[in-house]
């Protein structure tokens, strides 16, 4: 199982970190050991002083495929969920300045928080809304109509390089509003279904 992540996939978020809007998807990966599931707490790591939350819609890959063609891409996921791409922003900045890979800033243990999944037919596929609450207050509110690269475009693009395998996860990028978390914070991810808002994710920072 692998975790594929897309960076800078919402223009407003690229802007808030002074990054250019990319012409092609920005792709990186996390190892399976980065996963944090079952609402387990996240322990603030000692190597950063600026840990940021990034709420993202996560696709669960339903079948194996390479070089997926655009007309078939939507059949490669049947369930979506929410995840947090925890980022050590200070380390990432250092890596970016030195032109180095940023795994230590983004792929560390527990950096891929993963909540529950729902069947994709329970959301409005054209405009999926989601948000992150920090201590009960909404800090990020995204809508997939603002994606620079759609889920289907992501699947087509990444499957040119990496064979998609059933059970792989794709973190599809974070909307604007990323910010620091502190010990004691409680993060909750909510997805807007057709008929109601459902909490899919909770994570306490310890
Ligand atoms: Zn991210």
């Amino acid at each position: 199982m692998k975790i594929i992540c897309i960076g800078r996939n919402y223009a407003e978020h690229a802007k808030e970190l002074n990054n250019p809007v990319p012409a092609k998807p920005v792709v990186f990966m996390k190892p399976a050991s980065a996963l944090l599931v079952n609402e387990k707490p996240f322990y603030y790591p000692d190597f950063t002083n600026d840990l940021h939350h990034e709420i993202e819609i996560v696709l669960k890959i339903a079948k194996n495929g390479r070089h997926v063609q655009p007309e078939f891409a939507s059949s490669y996921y049947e369930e979506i969920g929410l995840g947090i791409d925890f980022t050590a922003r200070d380390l990432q900045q250092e890596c970016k300045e030195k032109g180095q890979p940023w795994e230590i800033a983004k792929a560390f243990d527990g950096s891929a928080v993963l909540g529950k999944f729902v069947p994709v037919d329970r959301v409005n596929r054209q405009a999926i809304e989601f948000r992150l609450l920090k201590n009960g207050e909404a800090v990020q509110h995204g809508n997939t109509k603002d994606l620079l690269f759609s889920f289907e475009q992501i699947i087509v693009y990444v499957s040119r390089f990496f064979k998609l395998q059933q059970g792989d996860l794709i973190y599809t990028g974070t909307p604007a509003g990323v910010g620091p978390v502190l010990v004691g914070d409680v993060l909750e991810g909510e997805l807007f279904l057709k008929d109601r808002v459902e909490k899919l994710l909770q994570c306490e920072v310890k």
Side-chain angles (χ1 to χ4, degrees):
M1 192 278 287
K2 58 187 170 295
I3 304 168
I4 297 166
C5 304
I6 306 301
R8 303 173 196 166
N9 204 13
Y10 291 85
E12 287 300 312
H13 168 62
K15 227 185 282 175
E16 74 181 344
L17 295 183
N18 295 317
N19 287 315
V21 170
K24 288 188 241 176
V26 175
V27 181
F28 61 99
M29 295 215 241
K30 299 185 189 236
S33 49
L35 268 187
L36 187 68
V37 296
N38 299 329
E39 303 195 346
K40 284 187 195 148
F42 175 83
Y43 289 93
Y44 201 106
D46 62 3
F47 49 75
T48 178
N49 293 307
D50 194 22
L51 181 79
H52 274 204
H53 56 73
E54 295 191 356
I55 187 78
E56 312 202 355
I57 290 185
V58 181
L59 311 180
K60 188 191 279 184
I61 294 300
K63 58 184 179 185
N64 297 0
R66 299 178 67 230
H67 296 277
V68 175
Q69 295 305 299
E71 61 270 37
F72 302 120
S74 66
S75 69
Y76 279 79
Y77 64 97
E78 293 163 0
E79 292 181 292
I80 65 169
L82 291 175
I84 298 172
D85 167 20
F86 269 135
T87 303
R89 197 67 75 196
D90 43 1
L91 282 187
Q92 188 196 26
Q93 190 56 32
E94 248 182 78
C95 295
K96 280 161 66 177
E97 281 164 11
K98 293 179 183 160
Q100 291 175 349
W102 63 34
E103 274 86 351
I104 58 167
K106 273 192 170 285
F108 50 85
D109 295 349
S111 62
V113 181
L114 186 64
K116 286 181 284 192
F117 284 85
V118 295
V120 72
D121 59 14
R122 294 193 60 196
V123 297
N124 169 16
R125 273 194 186 225
Q126 309 315 316
I128 309 170
E129 265 186 86
F130 59 107
R131 65 182 179 188
L132 180 74
L133 309 183
K134 184 168 86 171
N135 305 322
E137 189 191 331
V139 288
Q140 287 190 270
H141 193 151
N143 189 317
T144 57
K145 68 176 165 47
D146 301 321
L147 280 171
L148 295 174
F149 301 99
S150 69
F151 297 163
E152 285 70 26
Q153 287 172 309
I154 292 168
I155 286 170
V156 168
Y157 184 76
V158 299
S159 69
R160 290 167 58 193
F161 304 92
F162 312 111
K163 179 185 181 181
L164 294 177
Q165 293 172 293
Q166 188 178 20
D168 285 350
L169 301 170
I170 302 181
Y171 283 61
T172 55
T174 198
V178 302
V181 297
L182 300 172
V183 171
D185 284 347
V186 175
L187 303 172
E188 295 165 286
E190 294 182 332
L191 186 68
F192 289 61
L193 307 180
K194 283 175 183 164
D195 52 342
R196 63 199 168 92
V197 179
E198 184 142 318
K199 184 170 104 173
L200 295 183
L201 177 152
Q202 175 161 335
C203 179
E204 186 180 352
V205 180
K206 290 197 169 179

Short mmCIF file of all heavy atoms in Angstrom, two decimals, residues 93-122:
data_model
loop_
_atom_site.label_atom_id
_atom_site.label_comp_id
_atom_site.label_asym_id
_atom_site.label_seq_id
_atom_site.Cartn_x
_atom_site.Cartn_y
_atom_site.Cartn_z
N GLN A 93 10.23 24.32 4.78
CA GLN A 93 10.81 25.56 4.25
C GLN A 93 12.32 25.40 4.03
O GLN A 93 12.86 25.79 2.99
CB GLN A 93 10.52 26.72 5.22
CG GLN A 93 10.85 28.10 4.67
CD GLN A 93 10.14 28.40 3.35
OE1 GLN A 93 9.04 27.93 3.09
NE2 GLN A 93 10.80 29.16 2.49
N GLU A 94 12.98 24.79 5.02
CA GLU A 94 14.42 24.54 4.91
C GLU A 94 14.74 23.66 3.70
O GLU A 94 15.65 23.94 2.92
CB GLU A 94 14.88 23.77 6.16
CG GLU A 94 15.78 24.51 7.10
CD GLU A 94 16.17 23.60 8.25
OE1 GLU A 94 17.06 22.73 8.08
OE2 GLU A 94 15.54 23.74 9.31
N CYS A 95 13.96 22.57 3.54
CA CYS A 95 14.16 21.65 2.41
C CYS A 95 13.96 22.39 1.09
O CYS A 95 14.74 22.23 0.15
CB CYS A 95 13.18 20.48 2.48
SG CYS A 95 13.44 19.41 3.90
N LYS A 96 12.89 23.21 1.03
CA LYS A 96 12.60 23.92 -0.22
C LYS A 96 13.73 24.88 -0.56
O LYS A 96 14.16 24.95 -1.71
CB LYS A 96 11.27 24.69 -0.08
CG LYS A 96 10.05 23.80 -0.27
CD LYS A 96 8.76 24.38 0.29
CE LYS A 96 8.28 25.62 -0.42
NZ LYS A 96 6.98 26.08 0.14
N GLU A 97 14.21 25.60 0.45
CA GLU A 97 15.28 26.57 0.19
C GLU A 97 16.55 25.89 -0.32
O GLU A 97 17.27 26.45 -1.15
CB GLU A 97 15.59 27.36 1.47
CG GLU A 97 14.58 28.46 1.72
CD GLU A 97 14.63 29.01 3.14
OE1 GLU A 97 15.59 28.70 3.87
OE2 GLU A 97 13.69 29.76 3.51
N LYS A 98 16.82 24.69 0.21
CA LYS A 98 18.03 23.98 -0.22
C LYS A 98 17.79 23.10 -1.44
O LYS A 98 18.71 22.43 -1.91
CB LYS A 98 18.54 23.10 0.93
CG LYS A 98 19.03 23.89 2.13
CD LYS A 98 19.49 22.96 3.24
CE LYS A 98 19.93 23.75 4.47
NZ LYS A 98 19.93 22.91 5.67
N GLY A 99 16.57 23.10 -1.96
CA GLY A 99 16.26 22.26 -3.12
C GLY A 99 16.29 20.78 -2.79
O GLY A 99 16.53 19.95 -3.66
N GLN A 100 16.04 20.46 -1.52
CA GLN A 100 16.10 19.05 -1.09
C GLN A 100 14.71 18.42 -1.07
O GLN A 100 13.71 19.13 -0.97
CB GLN A 100 16.72 18.98 0.31
CG GLN A 100 18.18 19.34 0.33
CD GLN A 100 18.75 19.38 1.75
OE1 GLN A 100 18.01 19.32 2.72
NE2 GLN A 100 20.05 19.49 1.84
N PRO A 101 14.66 17.09 -1.12
CA PRO A 101 13.37 16.41 -0.95
C PRO A 101 12.79 16.75 0.42
O PRO A 101 13.55 17.04 1.36
CB PRO A 101 13.72 14.92 -1.02
CG PRO A 101 15.14 14.84 -1.42
CD PRO A 101 15.78 16.16 -1.23
N TRP A 102 11.44 16.70 0.54
CA TRP A 102 10.84 17.16 1.81
C TRP A 102 10.21 16.03 2.63
O TRP A 102 9.38 16.28 3.51
CB TRP A 102 9.89 18.32 1.56
CG TRP A 102 8.68 18.03 0.70
CD1 TRP A 102 7.96 16.87 0.63
CD2 TRP A 102 7.99 18.97 -0.16
NE1 TRP A 102 6.90 17.02 -0.22
CE2 TRP A 102 6.89 18.28 -0.72
CE3 TRP A 102 8.20 20.31 -0.50
CZ2 TRP A 102 6.01 18.91 -1.62
CZ3 TRP A 102 7.31 20.90 -1.38
CH2 TRP A 102 6.25 20.22 -1.93
N GLU A 103 10.62 14.80 2.42
CA GLU A 103 10.03 13.69 3.18
C GLU A 103 10.10 13.89 4.70
O GLU A 103 9.15 13.58 5.40
CB GLU A 103 10.71 12.36 2.84
CG GLU A 103 10.13 11.66 1.63
CD GLU A 103 10.76 12.13 0.35
OE1 GLU A 103 11.52 13.13 0.36
OE2 GLU A 103 10.48 11.50 -0.69
N ILE A 104 11.24 14.39 5.20
CA ILE A 104 11.33 14.52 6.67
C ILE A 104 10.30 15.51 7.19
O ILE A 104 9.93 15.47 8.36
CB ILE A 104 12.75 14.91 7.15
CG1 ILE A 104 13.20 16.22 6.52
CG2 ILE A 104 13.75 13.78 6.87
CD1 ILE A 104 14.44 16.81 7.20
N ALA A 105 9.81 16.40 6.32
CA ALA A 105 8.84 17.41 6.74
C ALA A 105 7.40 16.96 6.55
O ALA A 105 6.47 17.57 7.09
CB ALA A 105 9.07 18.69 5.96
N LYS A 106 7.20 15.89 5.78
CA LYS A 106 5.83 15.52 5.40
C LYS A 106 5.52 14.03 5.50
O LYS A 106 4.35 13.65 5.40
CB LYS A 106 5.56 15.96 3.95
CG LYS A 106 5.05 17.40 3.86
CD LYS A 106 4.55 17.68 2.47
CE LYS A 106 3.79 19.00 2.35
NZ LYS A 106 2.44 19.00 2.91
N ALA A 107 6.51 13.19 5.66
CA ALA A 107 6.25 11.74 5.59
C ALA A 107 6.61 11.02 6.88
O ALA A 107 6.71 9.80 6.91
CB ALA A 107 7.01 11.14 4.40
N PHE A 108 6.75 11.79 7.95
CA PHE A 108 7.14 11.21 9.25
C PHE A 108 5.98 10.40 9.86
O PHE A 108 4.83 10.48 9.38
CB PHE A 108 7.59 12.32 10.20
CG PHE A 108 6.64 13.49 10.30
CD1 PHE A 108 5.56 13.45 11.17
CD2 PHE A 108 6.81 14.63 9.51
CE1 PHE A 108 4.67 14.52 11.27
CE2 PHE A 108 5.92 15.70 9.60
CZ PHE A 108 4.86 15.64 10.48
N ASP A 109 6.30 9.67 10.91
CA ASP A 109 5.30 8.81 11.56
C ASP A 109 4.08 9.64 11.98
O ASP A 109 4.22 10.69 12.62
CB ASP A 109 5.89 8.17 12.83
CG ASP A 109 7.04 7.22 12.53
OD1 ASP A 109 7.25 6.88 11.35
OD2 ASP A 109 7.72 6.82 13.49
N GLY A 110 2.91 9.16 11.64
CA GLY A 110 1.68 9.82 12.06
C GLY A 110 1.28 11.01 11.21
O GLY A 110 0.26 11.66 11.46
N SER A 111 2.05 11.30 10.16
CA SER A 111 1.78 12.50 9.36
C SER A 111 0.60 12.33 8.41
O SER A 111 0.16 13.32 7.81
CB SER A 111 3.02 12.90 8.56
OG SER A 111 3.38 11.88 7.65
N ALA A 112 0.11 11.11 8.26
CA ALA A 112 -1.05 10.87 7.39
C ALA A 112 -2.22 10.42 8.25
O ALA A 112 -2.47 9.22 8.41
CB ALA A 112 -0.72 9.84 6.32
N VAL A 113 -2.93 11.38 8.81
CA VAL A 113 -4.13 11.04 9.59
C VAL A 113 -5.21 10.64 8.59
O VAL A 113 -5.37 11.26 7.55
CB VAL A 113 -4.60 12.25 10.42
CG1 VAL A 113 -5.83 11.88 11.25
CG2 VAL A 113 -3.48 12.77 11.30
N LEU A 114 -5.92 9.56 8.94
CA LEU A 114 -6.94 9.06 8.02
C LEU A 114 -8.22 8.77 8.79
O LEU A 114 -8.20 8.08 9.81
CB LEU A 114 -6.43 7.78 7.34
CG LEU A 114 -7.33 7.20 6.25
CD1 LEU A 114 -7.43 8.16 5.06
CD2 LEU A 114 -6.79 5.85 5.78
N GLY A 115 -9.32 9.31 8.28
CA GLY A 115 -10.62 9.09 8.91
C GLY A 115 -11.41 8.01 8.19
O GLY A 115 -10.85 7.20 7.45
N LYS A 116 -12.73 8.05 8.42
CA LYS A 116 -13.61 7.05 7.80
C LYS A 116 -13.88 7.41 6.34
O LYS A 116 -13.72 8.56 5.93
CB LYS A 116 -14.95 7.02 8.54
CG LYS A 116 -14.87 6.35 9.90
CD LYS A 116 -16.23 6.33 10.59
CE LYS A 116 -16.57 7.68 11.16
NZ LYS A 116 -17.70 7.75 12.08
N PHE A 117 -14.34 6.41 5.59
CA PHE A 117 -14.68 6.61 4.18
C PHE A 117 -16.19 6.52 3.98
O PHE A 117 -16.88 5.87 4.77
CB PHE A 117 -13.99 5.56 3.31
CG PHE A 117 -12.52 5.84 3.12
CD1 PHE A 117 -11.59 5.42 4.06
CD2 PHE A 117 -12.08 6.54 2.01
CE1 PHE A 117 -10.25 5.70 3.90
CE2 PHE A 117 -10.73 6.82 1.83
CZ PHE A 117 -9.81 6.39 2.78
N VAL A 118 -16.67 7.16 2.93
CA VAL A 118 -18.07 7.02 2.52
C VAL A 118 -18.11 6.71 1.02
O VAL A 118 -17.20 7.11 0.28
CB VAL A 118 -18.90 8.30 2.80
CG1 VAL A 118 -19.00 8.57 4.30
CG2 VAL A 118 -18.34 9.50 2.06
N PRO A 119 -19.16 6.03 0.57
CA PRO A 119 -19.29 5.79 -0.88
C PRO A 119 -19.41 7.12 -1.61
O PRO A 119 -20.08 8.04 -1.12
CB PRO A 119 -20.59 4.98 -1.00
CG PRO A 119 -20.85 4.43 0.37
CD PRO A 119 -20.25 5.42 1.34
N VAL A 120 -18.77 7.21 -2.75
CA VAL A 120 -18.70 8.50 -3.45
C VAL A 120 -20.07 8.94 -3.96
O VAL A 120 -20.31 10.13 -4.19
CB VAL A 120 -17.63 8.44 -4.57
CG1 VAL A 120 -18.10 7.58 -5.73
CG2 VAL A 120 -17.23 9.83 -5.01
N ASP A 121 -21.02 8.01 -4.08
CA ASP A 121 -22.35 8.44 -4.54
C ASP A 121 -23.13 9.19 -3.46
O ASP A 121 -24.22 9.68 -3.70
CB ASP A 121 -23.15 7.26 -5.12
CG ASP A 121 -23.36 6.15 -4.11
OD1 ASP A 121 -23.13 6.38 -2.90
OD2 ASP A 121 -23.75 5.03 -4.52
N ARG A 122 -22.57 9.31 -2.27
CA ARG A 122 -23.25 10.08 -1.21
C ARG A 122 -22.90 11.56 -1.23
O ARG A 122 -23.42 12.34 -0.45
CB ARG A 122 -22.93 9.48 0.16
CG ARG A 122 -23.52 8.08 0.31
CD ARG A 122 -23.49 7.59 1.74
NE ARG A 122 -24.24 8.46 2.63
CZ ARG A 122 -24.13 8.43 3.96
NH1 ARG A 122 -23.29 7.59 4.54
NH2 ARG A 122 -24.85 9.24 4.71
#
